[in-house]
Amino acid sequence: MDEIINERYRINRELGRGGMAVVYDATDLLLDRQVALKMLKEEYASDDDFIERLKLEARAVARINHPNVVNIYDISQQEGSYYLVMENIAGKNLKDIISRRGKIPVIEALDVASQICSALMVAHKNNIVHCDIKPHNIIITPLNQVKVTDFGIARAVSSSTKHEVTSSIEGSAHYFSPEQAQGAEITPLSDIYSLGVVLYEMLTGQLPFTGKTAVNVALKHIKEKPENIKLREENVPEEVENVIMTALAKNPQDRYQNAQKMRDAIKTVLTSIREREQQKQEEKDNNLAKTLIHDKSAEKIRAELNEDQDKERQETKSFASREQSREREELGSRAGEDKKREAKGNKQANKGRNRKKQKLVKRARLIFTLTIIFAGLLLISYFTYSVFMDVPIVEVPDVTGYDLREAENILQEKGFNYTVAENKINHAEIEENHVANQSPSAGDEVRQTRDINLVLSAGPEYVEVPDLESLNLREARIVLEGRGLTVGEEKYDFSDEYPQDIVIGSDPPAGEEITEGSEVDIIVSQGRSPYNF
């Protein structure tokens, strides 16, 4: 293609088409990075109310920086066509994955749902409701990281007064909450319901409600209960079904009241399932070890017993044969010789009995040794289980923002040890030598033996205000955002040197060092003053 939009974005190829837009793979020539460019279709681009609402929503989403949310970099237009510039994610959307695999394993599906909850948590805290949570808007990266996209777009559509239910909305009807289907107020609890539908579909490979038209499906969301999930997939644990049915409650007040509570419920179920699977595996390993030891010991003992018995029979037979021969040769000899022979026979018999006794002692020692080895293995298994498995599961406390000593006290109260990363990270809001990041995250449930990894803040990063003079307003915004600074107010002043709409300065001025993320006001020329004579 190689078409260039606004002298900045080079279109490389088309990635896909939806009801509202066409998505392209593009290159940001100014910042030299790959981006996704979503070009809105003409019917939306000509709707002033929709565009205004979209701008507001896009600005709100652009302020969110979260690993499970696709970032929005810019919204602009060319020749009346509006487009969004977004993070370009390598991965596949969840709908394609479900279509290809049919069903997603329970643990994998719950992990995906937990990550979606994390994205909803940060969005809802910023008063952003997605309104269109569905597998098509969820991207899974090669590292199994979830990225939720299209925040703000669906909300802008639902808020626009000029659009009826179009093909883009029809495609979403299978995931609508009852209140969306009825045209009632949309709240964060609507996203909870839609996520319940997505989780249902992941586990069964089927939607809870289907119909010939979007209206048929919408009516089912309002009036009907979804079919028992175990009738479609018997391997789904009961506690997982309970999570889904809570999210799919018709009355919003009966659902999880926020994404955090749904995420906590999923985490609890995940922990329980993983523990059961680990326990089953340990029992299987222990039984296998016992079987191997028992089979090997029994086989070895039987072989040695058979060998000893064969030797005894041969020795007895040989001894009897020798004795008979001697008796024939010495038949008729003197009585003294008979006594001598009798004494010799007694001596040989005693030797045979001694050999037999020694073999029995040797056998007993072997059995004792094998018993000790087996008991030792059992003790090691019990010790391993006690140390590594029989440990309480505790919720990880939030220590971000605390200095190291305070964080240490909080973690030790919960029974955790911790490690501190060698390298610090800059943080605009957390002062130096205070905890800027932790892993596992606050709220996760882990065993007390797990170390909590802490990363300390190096304080805010200082950035030099760039020289914006002689740039146009759009270029100035791009330069500021590229330096990690926030565009503040646009102030206007007269200038004899620069024509109208050209930047003549900034506040703070160029060259001053400020913290990353700080606002910089742009001063724009209004042209020559009409009062200059």
Side-chain angles (χ1 to χ4, degrees):
M1 283 186 173
D2 286 341
E3 179 186 356
I4 295 179
I5 306 292
N6 279 341
E7 300 181 353
R8 178 173 179 183
Y9 301 107
R10 184 180 65 232
I11 303 297
N12 301 320
R13 61 190 175 92
E14 183 179 314
L15 294 176
R17 288 174 177 264
M20 289 182 287
V22 181
V23 182
Y24 299 98
D25 174 83
T27 303
D28 183 339
L29 300 175
L30 183 64
L31 298 179
D32 191 25
R33 64 180 175 186
Q34 295 303 113
V35 295
L37 193 147
K38 178 166 282 194
M39 187 74 71
L40 296 178
K41 290 186 174 178
E42 187 177 348
E43 61 263 34
Y44 292 97
S46 60
D47 183 345
D48 293 339
D49 289 342
F50 170 74
I51 292 299
E52 191 57 35
R53 182 67 190 178
L54 179 62
K55 287 179 180 178
L56 291 173
E57 291 290 332
R59 289 188 192 118
V61 177
R63 290 196 292 269
I64 296 176
N65 185 15
H66 190 274
N68 296 125
V69 176
V70 174
N71 291 323
I72 293 180
Y73 298 136
D74 192 12
I75 178 169
S76 190
Q77 65 169 322
Q78 175 172 281
E79 298 176 356
S81 296
Y82 280 84
Y83 61 87
L84 288 168
V85 182
M86 306 182 299
E87 184 180 7
N88 196 335
I89 305 297
K92 296 182 178 179
N93 76 55
L94 183 57
K95 188 65 177 179
D96 290 342
I97 294 172
I98 295 172
S99 299
R100 189 179 75 254
R101 295 173 61 180
K103 299 173 186 176
I104 308 295
V106 173
I107 289 180
E108 186 179 343
L110 289 175
D111 181 63
V112 169
S114 176
Q115 292 188 60
I116 297 171
C117 281
S118 296
L120 293 178
M121 283 163 55
V122 68
H124 294 168
K125 282 181 182 177
N126 285 274
N127 298 316
I128 298 169
V129 181
H130 191 288
C131 299
D132 197 19
I133 290 292
K134 59 183 180 181
H136 315 67
N137 290 332
I138 297 160
I139 301 171
I140 311 294
T141 73
L143 297 177
N144 292 324
Q145 183 181 21
V146 171
K147 289 279 192 177
V148 182
T149 188
D150 275 4
F151 273 102
I153 294 180
R155 179 69 168 182
V157 171
S158 65
S159 300
S160 176
T161 59
K162 294 186 180 180
H163 289 277
E164 302 297 331
V165 177
T166 64
S167 59
S168 64
I169 302 304
E170 285 184 28
S172 303
H174 295 99
Y175 307 91
F176 269 1
S177 65
E179 57 270 23
Q180 281 176 285
Q182 291 173 307
E185 181 185 2
I186 298 172
T187 71
L189 302 182
S190 303
D191 286 344
I192 298 292
Y193 183 94
S194 299
L195 177 52
V197 177
V198 172
L199 185 51
Y200 189 106
E201 184 181 5
M202 280 195 285
L203 293 170
T204 65
Q206 303 172 46
L207 290 158
F209 301 115
T210 56
K212 292 183 178 180
T213 66
V215 174
N216 294 147
V217 176
L219 288 173
K220 290 182 179 181
H221 279 295
I222 296 168
K223 297 179 179 180
E224 296 183 15
K225 276 189 70 175
E227 185 179 24
N228 188 315
I229 197 169
K230 280 188 170 292
L231 296 177
R232 299 189 179 189
E233 178 49 57
E234 60 181 11
N235 294 323
V236 175
E238 185 178 351
E239 60 260 53
V240 177
E241 184 179 17
N242 292 338
V243 169
I244 294 171
M245 296 311 294
T246 301
L248 291 179
K250 302 298 182 189
N251 186 343
Q253 297 309 311
D254 294 333
R255 298 173 203 156
Y256 294 107
Q257 290 305 289
N258 54 58
Q260 172 76 58
K261 289 186 177 179
M262 185 171 180
R263 180 174 174 268
D264 290 345
I266 291 171
K267 291 268 187 185
T268 300
V269 172
L270 264 174
T271 300
S272 176
I273 293 172
R274 283 171 174 151
E275 283 182 347
R276 286 202 301 270
E277 289 197 351
Q278 194 162 5
Q279 190 173 359
K280 285 179 184 177
Q281 187 61 44
E282 286 174 357
E283 289 174 359
K284 186 177 177 181
D285 292 344
N286 286 337
N287 290 335
L288 180 61
K290 289 177 186 177
T291 302
L292 289 173
I293 292 171
H294 178 269
D295 290 350
K296 188 173 181 181
S297 302
E299 185 181 345
K300 191 169 184 180
I301 290 170
R302 281 197 297 271
E304 291 192 0
L305 282 172
N306 291 336
E307 185 181 348
D308 289 345
Q309 287 171 358
D310 289 343
K311 284 182 179 179
E312 284 177 9
R313 282 195 294 269
Q314 289 175 2
E315 287 177 0
T316 301
K317 186 176 180 181
S318 177
F319 178 72
S321 178
R322 287 196 303 271
E323 288 302 305
Q324 287 174 1
S325 178
R326 287 193 191 97
E327 285 175 359
R328 283 194 300 270
E329 289 175 0
E330 296 175 4
L331 185 65
S333 63
R334 296 190 306 270
E337 288 297 323
D338 289 340
K339 289 181 181 179
K340 186 175 180 182
R341 189 166 54 247
E342 184 180 353
K344 189 174 181 181
N346 290 337
K347 186 176 180 182
Q348 291 291 340
N350 287 335
K351 283 183 178 178
R353 283 194 294 272
N354 287 338
R355 281 196 298 270
K356 189 172 183 180
K357 188 184 293 183
Q358 287 173 355
K359 288 183 178 69
L360 288 172
V361 170
K362 182 179 178 183
R363 195 176 306 144
R365 284 176 179 168
L366 177 63
I367 294 171
F368 177 75
T369 302
L370 290 172
T371 303
I372 293 296
I373 292 171
F374 180 65
L377 288 172
L378 285 178
L379 284 172
I380 290 170
S381 298
Y382 175 76
F383 175 77
T384 303
Y385 177 80
S386 299
V387 171
F388 297 105
M389 295 304 302
D390 191 18
V391 178
I393 293 176
V394 182
E395 183 177 311
V396 178
D398 187 358
V399 295
T400 54
Y402 290 96
D403 66 33
L404 191 56
R405 182 171 294 179
E406 290 173 322
E408 181 180 14
N409 291 336
I410 293 170
L411 292 173
Q412 287 181 348
E413 281 180 8
K414 291 281 190 176
F416 287 111
N417 293 320
Y418 69 92
T419 60
V420 180
E422 290 183 10
N423 298 324
K424 299 179 181 180
I425 60 173
N426 293 107
H427 198 289
E429 298 174 0
I430 297 178
E431 59 184 288
E432 189 174 1
N433 292 325
H434 285 57
V435 178
N437 195 9
Q438 65 178 79
S439 177
S441 303
D444 286 354
E445 293 185 342
V446 300
R447 297 188 184 278
Q448 276 186 329
T449 50
R450 178 95 173 258
D451 282 350
I452 308 301
N453 303 311
L454 305 180
V455 182
L456 298 183
S457 170
E461 184 174 1
Y462 285 90
V463 180
E464 185 177 295
V465 177
D467 186 0
L468 307 177
E469 198 171 313
S470 77
L471 302 178
N472 63 39
L473 194 55
R474 178 177 175 76
E475 291 170 337
R477 287 199 192 106
I478 292 169
V479 171
L480 288 176
E481 290 170 358
R483 294 286 185 92
L485 298 170
T486 303
V487 178
E489 295 181 19
E490 296 168 11
K491 300 178 179 179
Y492 290 86
D493 199 359
F494 294 111
S495 171
D496 294 334
E497 184 177 355
Y498 293 104
Q500 188 174 350
D501 295 330
I502 295 298
V503 177
I504 58 177
S506 62
D507 183 20
E512 184 171 320
E513 288 195 342
I514 57 176
T515 58
E516 187 178 21
S518 296
E519 285 192 356
V520 175
D521 296 337
I522 302 174
I523 304 172
V524 185
S525 171
Q526 285 184 294
R528 290 178 177 275
S529 170
Y531 306 106
N532 287 347
F533 299 102

